[in-house]
Amino acid sequence: MRTPLPRPRGPLAPAAGLLATALVLSGCQEVQTSAPAEETADVTTVTLDGRTITEGGDLVMALSAEPDVLDPTTSSSLYTRYVMETMCEKLYDIDESGEIVPMLATELPEVSDDGRTVTFPIKEGVRFADGTPFDAEAVKTSIERHLTKEDSSRRSELGPVAEVTALDDSTVEITYETPFAPLAAVLADRAGMIMSPTELERAGDDFGEHPVCVGAFKFVERVPQTSITVERDPLYYDADNVHLDTITYRIITDASIRSANLRSGDVQVADSLSTQDLAELESADGVGLLEVGSLGYQAMTVNVGNTDGVGAPPGKIDTPIAKDPRVRQALSMAVDREQLVKSVFNDRYDPACSPVSPASPFSSDASEACPEYDPEGAKALLEEAGADVPYEIEIKVTNTPDTLRLAQAVQASVADGGFELTIVPVEYSSLLEVQEQGDFDLLQLGWSGRVDPHGNMFNFLSTGAGNNYSGYSDPEVDELLTQAATVIDPAERAALYGQVVTKVQADNPIIYLYRTRSMTGYADEVAGISTYADGVVRLSNAAFVEPAEG
């Protein structure tokens, strides 16, 4: 039986903002644990308003995982988005309410009557960090790279593009084979990051080793597994609102060590804090907390056909869990999501069985339904499928304490349903490679979420898409997702996404578990920091400030 999940306790993004965007045109992250249950309102920003700024200085952020390649076309890590936020502005962004707003574009896209031609203006008088002019040809070059690069993770995100045209220096036109409603939302993520054509020509596939974009900061150096440093870009068009000299992203994978470094003053910002540390942080002097609900999810991915790497045609895997949906359904039924949230997260987070957040205007009863926890039914399905009971399987997870704690709780939960899980810890950036290559049977990672469900579904569930790590392929799902992207009406889109969720819950290539809250700590000597529902920590306008009066 499928039962609806409770609505989140706090808003993620107001429906009005998303609906307005829909009518105009329309990461992978590690797990974190939670603390005692309480009603918690979103706190997205520590503002500079009313604070006295101390210009300059070197800010250090404790980053919970090593980013992957710093290339907007190929990257897939949430932590890469943190770093790129300061260096590579997008055509659009989201604000604290979840509304899509212009960034390097100056207006939301204008769509033709037939929905197939999209036009948008861009900023004038802007230069990349290497001095190259930012213009419509540069936008065209970046989008075409996203569409044509062999290992691009953006191709399927951008939809059925027929042609990209620079109408003049400041106007871009994208022509589609069929209407594509989510474009503005897509361009508010990595597909909207515009790269210097000069550096692209020079570096080619090695662009990520020294990325050059339009941003408040520019790349300085990367020390693998240790740090990434950026410095203020004097060519930036809004340089007067950039206050720091440098930002160093220091890789600290243990949440308790990030917390300790924040309390000691060795770092000024720390992401993905464990809520096991919240009580100590909240009682510490000189430390604040940003906390916001997520549009994404944490899940287990089952390899059902990823034999030759992500994006390749799906192959056959001759294991019961890969070839028989009853085994995967049994695994989903064996997970007690509500108890998992209570025991591991002390009921602070929400169970999830779907990639569509209940706070989304595209949510529906179908997308909120959740398979009932039924360990005896799970065992019966395994027996019906002719699988061994207990069914033995390895699950690969990140090697952080919080994630291992989660994995052990899942291991205990599914044991009652006839599964014997062996936990295999893997370093985060290596786990990203593992999922891309298909070197797993079962894997736990999450997705930080996007404001439009297309960004949470199409790239993960459509055949051959750039983040379809499971190797899943179903013609009905492909058709529904493609149709949903052509529809402007939010209610109609919601119904189509609900149908997708129903089908995916029958096939279970991805077994959704829960939704987190993004928790970012900061020292009170800094302000101008934000974290929104997309999970990205924004530091471009951060500054050191004098102590607040009172």
Side-chain angles (χ1 to χ4, degrees):
M1 183 177 75
R2 286 154 39 91
T3 56
L5 289 171
R7 289 273 180 175
R9 291 180 289 274
L12 297 180
L18 290 174
L19 288 172
T21 302
L23 291 172
V24 173
L25 175 66
S26 41
C28 298
Q29 63 177 353
E30 294 179 82
V31 69
Q32 50 185 297
T33 59
S34 181
E38 60 181 61
E39 299 293 329
T40 306
D42 288 351
V43 180
T44 61
T45 300
V46 51
T47 182
L48 286 169
D49 292 347
R51 305 298 298 272
T52 300
I53 295 172
T54 301
E55 294 291 345
D58 306 312
L59 183 145
V60 180
M61 176 177 177
L63 196 59
S64 56
E66 170 86 355
D68 63 357
V69 63
L70 301 178
D71 186 327
T73 303
T74 60
S75 68
S76 59
S77 164
L78 169 64
Y79 310 100
T80 303
R81 294 171 68 209
Y82 287 177
V83 178
M84 301 300 274
E85 182 274 332
T86 60
M87 294 190 296
C88 289
E89 289 196 349
K90 302 164 291 187
L91 292 167
Y92 298 95
D93 199 5
I94 67 167
D95 64 14
E96 62 182 7
S97 299
E99 293 193 45
I100 295 174
V101 294
M103 197 173 199
L104 286 174
T106 58
E107 296 178 13
L108 289 174
E110 180 178 324
V111 184
S112 63
D113 290 341
D114 65 3
R116 294 176 56 194
T117 302
V118 182
T119 307
F120 54 88
I122 61 172
K123 291 183 183 295
E124 299 182 64
V126 173
R127 291 187 176 273
F128 292 95
D130 61 1
T132 302
F134 168 79
D135 57 18
E137 282 292 340
V139 175
K140 170 181 163 71
T141 297
S142 285
I143 293 177
E144 288 182 340
R145 183 178 190 258
H146 295 329
L147 292 167
T148 59
K149 196 172 190 303
E150 185 176 355
D151 57 347
S152 172
S153 295
R154 311 282 85 83
R155 183 185 303 111
S156 54
E157 293 177 359
L158 283 161
V161 174
E163 186 177 9
V164 184
T165 305
L167 296 182
D168 55 40
D169 285 349
S170 60
T171 310
V172 179
E173 179 182 270
I174 302 179
T175 305
Y176 276 91
E177 296 172 3
T178 57
F180 185 66
L183 179 61
V186 170
L187 296 179
D189 192 23
R190 280 171 286 220
M193 292 181 182
I194 308 305
M195 300 162 278
S196 165
T198 302
E199 183 63 18
L200 283 175
E201 184 175 359
R202 187 198 70 78
D205 289 346
D206 295 329
F207 177 87
E209 294 182 5
H210 193 285
V212 178
C213 303
V214 174
F217 294 80
K218 61 181 180 179
F219 180 81
V220 176
E221 67 172 351
R222 178 174 192 165
V223 180
Q225 300 297 323
T226 303
S227 65
I228 297 171
T229 302
V230 299
E231 66 182 2
R232 186 198 314 230
D233 180 11
L235 298 180
Y236 181 55
Y237 64 89
D238 193 24
D240 288 346
N241 286 315
V242 181
H243 308 291
L244 299 169
D245 291 327
T246 68
I247 300 172
T248 298
Y249 296 89
R250 187 180 298 166
I251 314 303
I252 303 177
T253 57
D254 189 306
S256 63
I257 297 177
R258 289 196 301 280
S259 176
N261 274 255
L262 182 64
R263 296 195 309 274
S264 69
D266 290 334
V267 305
Q268 290 79 46
V269 182
D271 83 300
S272 302
L273 294 172
S274 170
T275 51
Q276 294 181 83
D277 299 320
L278 282 189
E280 192 169 9
L281 283 169
E282 289 171 345
S283 64
D285 292 333
V287 175
L289 182 70
L290 303 180
E291 182 176 352
V292 63
S294 173
L295 291 166
Y297 55 80
Q298 292 290 331
M300 297 186 293
T301 299
V302 183
N303 191 347
V304 299
N306 184 357
T307 56
D308 298 305
V310 67
K316 291 185 177 181
I317 300 176
D318 192 25
T319 62
I321 198 166
K323 65 184 182 181
D324 195 327
R326 291 173 295 182
V327 178
R328 301 191 295 275
Q329 184 180 359
L331 181 57
S332 179
M333 292 166 58
V335 179
D336 188 346
R337 293 167 176 82
E338 291 191 8
Q339 184 58 35
L340 193 71
V341 166
K342 289 177 181 177
S343 63
V344 181
F345 310 109
N346 296 316
D347 215 18
R348 190 166 189 132
Y349 298 156
D350 294 292
C353 298
S354 161
V356 182
S357 165
S360 168
F362 302 103
S363 184
S364 65
D365 289 345
S367 69
E368 292 182 35
C370 195
E372 186 176 0
Y373 170 59
D374 184 1
E376 292 305 316
K379 287 181 181 177
L381 270 180
L382 287 175
E383 292 171 356
E384 180 184 311
D388 293 335
V389 180
Y391 184 84
E392 298 180 4
I393 187 170
E394 287 187 349
I395 180 169
K396 294 186 176 180
V397 303
T398 54
N399 62 350
T400 62
D402 284 352
T403 307
L404 293 174
R405 194 164 159 262
L406 168 72
Q408 290 162 2
V410 172
Q411 182 185 53
S413 177
V414 302
D416 292 338
F419 288 87
E420 185 176 316
L421 260 63
T422 299
I423 300 168
V424 180
V426 181
E427 189 273 328
Y428 173 72
S429 58
S430 297
L431 191 60
L432 293 179
E433 295 179 6
V434 164
Q435 74 170 352
E436 288 179 1
Q437 295 166 0
D439 185 21
F440 66 95
D441 293 317
L442 184 66
L443 178 146
Q444 195 284 312
L445 275 173
W447 179 243
S448 55
R450 302 296 183 268
V451 295
D452 191 295
H454 179 85
N456 298 338
M457 301 176 74
F458 189 93
N459 229 27
F460 294 87
L461 297 168
S462 61
T463 302
N467 296 116
N468 189 341
Y469 304 116
S470 68
Y472 178 62
S473 178
D474 183 272
E476 181 183 352
V477 168
D478 290 346
E479 173 60 29
L480 287 169
L481 287 172
T482 300
Q483 184 181 352
T486 69
V487 173
I488 299 298
D489 180 64
E492 188 176 349
R493 291 187 74 199
L496 291 167
Y497 287 128
Q499 292 179 55
V500 173
V501 170
T502 299
K503 185 69 171 68
V504 169
Q505 287 182 350
D507 293 343
N508 287 292
I510 301 174
I511 298 172
Y512 304 94
L513 299 175
Y514 68 96
R515 289 186 172 84
T516 71
R517 293 181 66 79
S518 298
M519 298 184 182
T520 304
Y522 63 90
D524 64 6
E525 64 180 318
V526 296
I529 302 160
S530 299
T531 302
Y532 300 155
D534 62 357
V536 176
V537 180
R538 291 162 165 82
L539 298 179
S540 288
N541 298 118
F544 286 94
V545 293
E546 294 183 9
E549 295 183 4

